[in-house]
Amino acid sequence: MYTNLNMFFQHNNMKNVLKSNRKSKKLTQNQLSKLANISQSYISDLEKEYFVHSPTVKQIISLSKALSIEPRELAEYFIEKEIKSKIKSK
């Protein structure tokens, strides 16, 4: 996490961890949805730049396993995304 807001804003253009890892594995949203047992439409929502809502811990673990990445990496991305949306909405 960030120790101050300046660090957060420097990282404001964070990469979409879910989408970039899915694409690097050459998976479609539909393929990932089957591997993670999460609907394709929900994966589409999670990949959007703007904040919709965060996945549950169970969903983060499922997506992480399907993508062979650390759950913490994905969790941190969604935490940062939520913080970004809260700051923008003020």
Side-chain angles (χ1 to χ4, degrees), residues 23-84:
K23 288 190 169 206
S24 74
K25 303 275 192 274
K26 296 184 177 18
L27 293 171
T28 65
Q29 288 179 349
N30 193 45
Q31 290 168 322
L32 178 58
S33 75
K34 290 176 183 172
L35 290 171
N37 199 27
I38 296 172
S39 74
Q40 181 274 324
S41 62
Y42 188 60
I43 289 172
S44 175
D45 286 343
L46 293 175
E47 287 187 355
K48 291 178 181 170
E49 185 175 326
Y50 59 87
F51 179 74
V52 178
H53 49 81
S54 293
T56 65
V57 172
K58 185 177 179 180
Q59 290 169 324
I60 288 172
I61 291 169
S62 183
L63 287 164
S64 297
K65 284 182 180 178
L67 294 169
S68 301
I69 61 172
E70 288 294 319
R72 180 180 301 247
E73 179 183 1
L74 200 52
E76 287 176 353
Y77 166 71
F78 284 110
I79 290 167
E80 291 172 6
K81 188 175 176 182
E82 187 163 349
I83 289 170
K84 179 182 173 184

Side-chain angles (χ1 to χ4, degrees), residues 5-21:
L5 286 178
N6 287 336
M7 287 176 66
F8 172 76
F9 286 113
Q10 288 171 3
H11 194 65
N12 202 14
N13 292 325
M14 60 192 167
K15 73 173 184 171
N16 186 321
V17 173
L18 179 61
K19 188 174 187 176
S20 63
N21 277 282

